[in-house]
Amino acid sequence: MADPIERVLVAVAHPDDAEFGCSGSVAKWVKEGREVIYVILTNGDKGSGDRSMTSERLTKTRVEEQLNAARTLGVERVEFLGYPDGELEDTRETRRAVTAQIRRFRPGLIVTQNPNRTANFYASHRDHRTTGTIVLDCVYPLARDHLSFPELLAQGLEPHKVREIYLMAWENPDVVVDISDTMELKLKALACHTSQMGDFSRVEALVRERGAQLGKPKGYAYAETFTRILIPR
Ligand SMILES: [Zn+2]
């Protein structure tokens, strides 16, 4: 990073996506004194194999789990946009909702999901791809231009220029964040998502294995990796 970025906004589709994809980095940024804010686009109300579970109950549970995870990591704030899980669409409404969050919190760095389908089947969930698409369009040009969504301007949400974007990525990353010191916090935050974890020792083994694999080329015990988009001034 050219100069210090003080505020980071993490925009993801579901409660637990940030913990899987970037929470080691989030914990590290918080330790470095940065302010981290989460924006969760859907309510995660489909993520259950329990036939007696209702979407309403699951939404409540997942909000609580996400808040606990955020607290564990030192995330300053979590905004839930509440769109239905599995049905997120790239519409004027969803773009306006995300643009409003960007203008409100004015981050230097935004972390989000990969808008493209990749060979990583689970990372390429439809809501993840849609989130990546929406967020990129909101950074440029929607949050930047005062003539986009004039109704936001009327609410005092002034245009904002984001400086860089990290897309969560495992293939050919150009940013490798050393999370060796924050892996334990990442696991602790992941464990807060009780409704999603089943056998946590299995999840832990997979997360450690993946983190070790990503860190290996750089000689880190564990890493998270991203594709970086630097936005010209
Ligand atoms: Zn997800």
Side-chain angles (χ1 to χ4, degrees):
M1 286 175 206
D3 46 321
I5 284 189
E6 278 161 16
R7 192 171 297 145
V8 182
L9 190 149
V10 177
V12 291
H14 308 116
D16 84 6
D17 288 345
E19 279 62 51
F20 274 112
C22 64
S23 62
S25 308
V26 164
K28 183 174 183 160
W29 294 328
V30 168
K31 279 174 192 281
E32 288 168 3
R34 298 185 210 188
E35 193 184 336
V36 181
I37 289 138
Y38 278 6
V39 173
I40 316 289
L41 275 75
T42 81
N43 55 19
D45 71 347
K46 307 289 193 298
S48 175
D50 172 1
R51 293 291 286 263
S52 68
M53 177 59 81
T54 63
S55 280
E56 231 172 41
R57 251 173 60 219
L58 188 57
T59 299
K60 272 194 198 146
T61 303
R62 298 204 69 184
V63 164
E64 267 169 44
E65 291 173 350
Q66 183 61 82
L67 290 172
N68 289 339
R71 214 169 293 129
T72 303
L73 298 165
V75 170
E76 191 84 12
R77 215 186 149 95
V78 188
E79 294 290 326
F80 297 93
L81 302 188
Y83 294 105
D85 189 356
E87 297 176 31
L88 184 66
E89 296 293 342
D90 177 11
T91 64
R92 186 181 195 278
E93 194 208 316
T94 51
R95 292 191 297 275
R96 185 179 58 186
V98 172
T99 298
Q101 300 299 331
I102 295 173
R103 289 192 184 181
R104 184 170 164 212
F105 293 112
R106 316 185 78 70
L109 170 67
I110 293 196
V111 182
T112 191
Q113 290 163 307
N114 191 332
N116 303 313
R117 184 173 272 292
T118 68
N120 190 313
F121 195 68
Y122 294 112
S124 286
H125 185 294
R126 175 183 169 77
D127 288 344
H128 298 184
R129 288 167 7 233
T130 307
T131 295
T133 299
I134 292 172
V135 170
L136 293 185
D137 284 335
C138 292
V139 168
Y140 169 80
L142 300 172
R144 191 198 70 171
D145 292 346
H146 76 284
L147 293 174
S148 304
F149 302 127
E151 62 271 41
L152 294 182
L153 211 53
Q155 293 167 29
L157 296 170
E158 289 291 322
H160 175 68
K161 285 185 191 172
V162 174
R163 280 160 42 202
E164 45 185 307
I165 302 170
Y166 283 7
L167 299 177
M168 297 174 190
W170 297 277
E171 288 128 7
N172 310 313
D174 41 37
V175 176
V176 181
V177 178
D178 181 0
I179 62 157
S180 310
D181 293 341
T182 52
M183 181 50 123
E184 300 313 312
L185 270 174
K186 175 177 177 129
L187 289 166
K188 214 173 152 197
L190 269 166
C192 295
H193 296 280
T194 321
S195 71
Q196 303 302 302
M197 291 305 158
D199 175 6
F200 191 73
S201 61
R202 228 186 106 239
V203 176
E204 174 170 349
L206 285 170
V207 169
R208 283 190 189 278
E209 191 192 315
R210 165 78 75 187
Q213 206 182 346
L214 297 175
K216 204 172 173 202
K218 291 266 187 190
Y220 304 150
Y222 299 112
E224 287 168 348
T225 52
F226 305 91
T227 298
R228 181 190 197 207
I229 303 172
L230 193 60
I231 296 145
R233 297 230 171 192

